[in-house]
Amino acid sequence: MITYNAGQCDIAVIGAGHAGIEAALAAARLGLDTVCFTVNLDSVGNMPCNPAIGGTGKGHLVRELDALGGEMAKAADEACIQYRMLNLGKGPAVHSLRAQADRRRYQQVMKHRLEKQENLRLKQAEVVDIGLDDQGAVCSVTTHTGAVYRCRAVVVASGTYLDGRTLVGEVLRSSGPDGLAAAVPLAERLRELGLSMRRFKTGTPPRVNARTVDFSKMELQPGDVEPEPFSFSTETAPCNRAVCYLTYTNERTHAIIRAHLDRSPIYSGVIEGVGPRYCPSIETKVMTFADKPRHQLFVEPMGLDTEELYIQGFSSSMPEEVQIEMLHTVPGLEHAEMTRCAYAIEYDCVDPTELYATLESKKIPGLYGAGQFNGSSGYEEAAVQGFVAGVNAALRLLGREPFILRRSDGYIGTLIDDLVTKGTNEPYRMMTSRSEYRLLHRQDNADQRLAARGRDLGLVSEEQYRRVLDKYAAVDAELDRLEHTHLAPSEPLNAMLTGKGTAPIASGFSLAELIRRPQISYADTAPFDPERPALPKAVAQQVEIRLKYDGYIKRQLRQVEEFSRMERRKLPPDIDYAAITGLRLEAREKLEKIRPENFGQASRISGVSPADISVLMVYMENHL
């Protein structure tokens, strides 16, 4: 290849999916000259799978990213067409916002954000090489046209493009998502650089034309009556402009799948990559849960200006003609025209234990990974990693302290800690069950937890931060007022209490004491509280949560303090684990490979037992 000098930049971001977007914007907003490369400018912010943002656990990530100064939540509020708050029948720790997006509108919003951002250049080009200097650090990237860009850091946000291969029955093609070209030379170069690569798989369901669907046979899935936005800065509540539907597979569907199982690449042995446990194909669901007579399918719009519908839950790698046969057994889809068939896609990714908590490679200085390249799945997981990688690449070049989020800080910290400490043998998906501190790390208080960190980075303005402080000052003031406002027994008050299934009062009670009762809400006491100030919904929500869960919150805060104590006990980066008598062989090998930064991280490594940690503590006390 004939190359030429295309100039220089500080940071090169490879990929403009959800990880690449956040990495490029964060780096540029911190003042670094950034170039973001994508194989096709029309694929910026693409949603090749379900065009939706959020979901259980994922909505927490979006809110945390927003609190730090990221972009996904704001773009979602501009492009989403139906909002639903999930898990409202459970406690606030697991409430998670999910919204169906207009796929093309979301892409337009994000592409325009990148185009308008100072210090950022967006270019259509495939990066085929990453150059290293004499010290083994990143120094350049080269595109397929021979353009060489000198740079000081690279963020790999390659999504499912890296040596991508799509599978539809017996048809195998070298391809990225949506038929775009796979990034083959870059995958080869990363292997040459000595990175430990692995092969993962994901899939996507078919799309159908809404004109050919009988919605009368399906269950309507409307959005929330009063939708909440994703971004804390969105001032106008979003409105629902679309509806979704629910239908089910049946025994006819399952019989077709079983009859053609030998043609599924998943079961014929053709697929090499490991698929996601929590988002299996329909054939995997039928075989794994053979006792279930049906499986849910959500029929969701791709946007407002298209008739394409997404059949969530029907992911498959079956041959196209089998997919059509399967589809036509589903109520409402008997005559559906399939506009795009489902496919599985395999791709390369790195072993994330080769990364620091900053998402920088331990082997190659200046090389960062984000998103599916790091072994995760999902747009939201990708976006938050892109932000962390882009921020840390910029801070490294600016000579500033790295930006590291711990498990005790929120879901982003949990996600990254899981990846770099424990690794993953399958595409990693965030769920609320992965956090030990769910009650503290709610989606509703992400601004309180992380806005200060965003301000310290320079990505949250003083005005934004002041609004957060004012919001929680109002919460504290109302809590204090409720604690010191007492109600005397009265017939109307006791009628309300007994009507709610709780005991009447015989003497004076504070409003706070009443609201702490599980049966009583903050709103229930309003008729008996004439001095109550007019508070925004978000403030009232915080007041009620803080009152009802005060004891549990204090308990988790004590757990966080114990966690922090372990995190503060640092481990030398050059410690010789092989020389520590008493460590088991497996522990030595794992500690040597991951080289944890502190005792907290060491204790979370798979294969390192509490006894090994005790041995390590004794060694540190006696030798260092």
Side-chain angles (χ1 to χ4, degrees):
M1 178 195 301
I2 299 175
T3 61
Y4 72 95
N5 182 5
Q8 63 184 39
C9 62
D10 293 316
I11 299 172
V13 177
I14 303 174
H18 306 281
I21 287 169
E22 299 291 349
L25 287 174
R29 288 168 177 171
L30 288 174
L32 280 296
D33 183 11
T34 306
V35 179
C36 183
F37 298 94
T38 175
V39 294
N40 191 315
L41 282 174
D42 295 327
S43 69
V44 172
N46 189 26
M47 295 180 173
C49 204
N50 192 357
I53 300 294
T56 303
K58 295 167 175 281
H60 293 67
L61 293 174
V62 179
R63 285 272 177 87
E64 290 185 353
L65 177 60
D66 183 64
L68 289 165
E71 200 64 32
M72 176 175 268
K74 298 179 182 66
D77 286 339
E78 290 192 41
C80 285
I81 55 180
Q82 192 207 47
Y83 286 74
R84 293 183 69 195
M85 189 68 74
L86 307 181
N87 301 324
L88 285 177
K90 302 177 181 179
V94 296
H95 293 175
S96 295
L97 184 60
R98 180 186 186 273
Q100 197 69 18
D102 185 309
R103 183 187 189 192
R104 296 307 177 202
R105 176 59 182 153
Y106 187 88
Q107 290 183 269
Q108 291 167 0
V109 169
M110 280 303 201
K111 181 170 180 281
H112 204 201
R113 291 281 198 281
L114 295 175
E115 291 170 335
K116 293 194 303 179
Q117 180 60 50
E118 292 184 16
N119 304 317
L120 177 57
R121 290 170 278 166
L122 179 62
K123 292 186 177 293
Q124 179 169 300
E126 179 188 351
V127 173
V128 298
D129 187 32
I130 297 174
L132 306 184
D133 61 21
D134 293 341
Q135 283 73 47
V138 162
C139 68
S140 69
V141 296
T142 304
T143 72
H144 71 292
T145 57
V148 179
Y149 291 82
R150 297 188 305 280
C151 59
R152 298 189 287 158
V154 171
V155 178
V156 180
S158 49
T160 60
Y161 287 85
L162 209 55
D163 200 8
R165 181 176 75 154
T166 57
L167 305 96
V168 180
E170 298 86 359
V171 181
L172 282 63
R173 299 180 65 197
S174 175
S175 174
D178 285 331
L180 294 168
V184 179
L186 180 60
E188 294 173 350
R189 177 55 175 157
L190 291 168
R191 286 191 286 267
E192 287 176 4
L193 291 175
L195 297 180
S196 177
M197 306 298 288
R198 52 182 58 181
R199 196 83 170 150
F200 278 178
K201 174 203 83 81
T202 190
T204 190
R207 275 70 159 175
V208 301
N209 190 319
R211 182 172 49 84
T212 63
V213 173
D214 185 354
F215 296 107
S216 68
K217 295 183 178 181
M218 301 178 179
E219 300 173 24
L220 182 67
Q221 295 280 294
D224 291 340
V225 175
E226 296 182 8
E228 289 187 28
F230 271 110
S231 177
F232 291 103
S233 64
T234 298
E235 296 181 355
T236 304
C239 61
N240 291 317
R241 294 175 287 164
V243 295
C244 300
Y245 293 86
L246 176 64
T247 186
Y248 300 87
T249 63
N250 51 58
E251 285 297 346
R252 290 173 55 215
T253 321
H254 301 177
I256 292 169
I257 291 171
R258 286 190 288 265
H260 295 90
L261 207 60
D262 61 323
R263 299 186 67 192
S264 168
I266 296 174
Y267 288 92
S268 65
V270 174
I271 287 182
E272 302 168 359
V274 180
R277 180 188 316 223
Y278 301 103
C279 188
S281 66
I282 187 62
E283 49 262 45
T284 298
K285 284 191 277 192
V286 168
M287 298 309 294
T288 304
F289 307 104
D291 59 318
K292 293 194 177 297
R294 65 179 191 172
H295 294 281
Q296 286 184 329
L297 301 177
F298 292 91
V299 181
E300 301 172 324
M302 299 280 283
L304 296 179
D305 299 320
T306 177
E307 295 304 302
E308 273 196 294
L309 299 172
Y310 179 93
I311 314 301
Q312 182 187 331
F314 215 57
S315 175
S316 178
S317 61
M318 284 286 195
E320 185 173 2
E321 67 273 20
V322 178
Q323 291 184 34
I324 294 172
E325 190 179 355
M326 292 156 49
L327 199 66
H328 287 169
T329 66
V330 175
L333 301 177
E334 294 91 344
H335 305 290
E337 175 193 344
M338 191 167 72
T339 56
R340 309 188 203 200
C341 66
Y343 62 86
I345 184 167
E346 292 184 319
Y347 56 95
D348 281 357
C349 55
V350 74
D351 178 353
T353 62
E354 293 198 345
L355 306 174
Y356 295 112
T358 59
L359 299 183
E360 184 180 16
S361 168
K362 295 175 181 177
K363 293 179 177 177
I364 304 172
L367 181 68
Y368 294 78
Q372 284 170 295
F373 177 71
N374 292 354
S376 65
S377 70
Y379 310 143
E380 302 81 5
E381 291 90 340
V384 299
Q385 290 175 72
F387 179 87
V388 171
V391 164
N392 278 304
L395 295 179
R396 179 177 182 271
L397 300 187
L398 292 169
R400 292 170 57 183
E401 288 295 311
F403 174 69
I404 296 176
L405 290 172
R406 305 295 183 189
R407 300 183 76 87
S408 55
D409 295 318
Y411 279 85
I412 299 176
T414 300
L415 163 65
I416 293 174
D417 184 67
D418 279 350
L419 288 172
V420 304
T421 303
K422 302 174 184 178
T424 183
N425 294 319
E426 62 189 40
Y428 179 100
R429 178 179 179 175
M430 177 48 67
M431 297 175 290
T432 53
S433 59
R434 295 192 187 274
S435 172
E436 308 93 305
Y437 312 114
R438 290 187 291 280
L439 193 53
L440 295 180
H441 299 159
R442 306 182 311 276
Q443 61 166 12
D444 58 78
N445 70 353
D447 53 346
Q448 183 185 28
R449 292 185 283 115
L450 295 171
R453 300 291 297 273
R455 184 215 38 192
D456 292 344
L457 286 172
L459 296 174
V460 170
S461 70
E462 287 296 332
E463 180 184 356
Q464 290 173 298
Y465 183 59
R466 173 52 56 186
R467 286 201 294 268
V468 174
L469 294 181
D470 290 345
K471 171 183 173 181
Y472 287 95
V475 172
D476 291 337
E478 179 64 355
L479 286 169
D480 183 70
R481 189 188 72 83
L482 293 171
E483 293 285 3
H484 293 91
T485 301
H486 290 75
L487 297 182
S490 68
E491 185 175 334
L493 175 59
N494 282 334
M496 184 274 288
L497 294 175
T498 55
K500 293 287 183 178
T502 186
I505 62 173
S507 60
F509 260 65
S510 73
L511 282 166
E513 288 177 290
L514 289 177
I515 296 169
R516 286 192 181 100
R517 294 185 178 188
Q519 303 90 343
I520 305 301
S521 70
Y522 179 69
D524 289 336
T525 62
F528 312 97
D529 185 13
E531 301 302 318
R532 175 170 297 188
L535 297 174
K537 179 181 177 181
V539 172
Q541 180 187 55
Q542 292 301 309
V543 168
E544 183 160 355
I545 291 172
R546 292 259 291 270
L547 282 174
K548 288 190 177 297
Y549 296 93
D550 182 59
Y552 299 102
I553 290 171
K554 287 177 179 175
R555 182 190 305 170
Q556 288 210 338
L557 286 171
R558 290 193 293 270
Q559 293 171 348
V560 166
E561 178 52 36
E562 175 60 22
F563 169 88
S564 301
R565 187 180 64 81
M566 292 288 285
E567 296 289 300
R568 288 193 292 268
R569 298 192 65 176
K570 301 296 183 182
L571 286 165
D574 58 350
I575 186 172
D576 183 4
Y577 293 104
I580 302 178
T581 304
L583 278 181
R584 293 175 306 111
L585 179 60
E586 181 183 7
R588 290 179 185 178
E589 291 175 350
K590 293 290 182 67
L591 290 165
E592 185 64 36
K593 177 186 177 184
I594 296 173
R595 304 207 69 80
E597 298 176 30
N598 53 61
F599 275 92
Q601 187 181 9
S603 69
R604 296 187 295 277
I605 297 174
S606 175
V608 177
S609 70
D612 295 315
I613 295 298
S614 296
V615 170
L616 194 54
M617 286 181 173
V618 171
Y619 176 84
M620 289 288 292
E621 290 171 2
N622 293 336
H623 292 81
L624 298 171

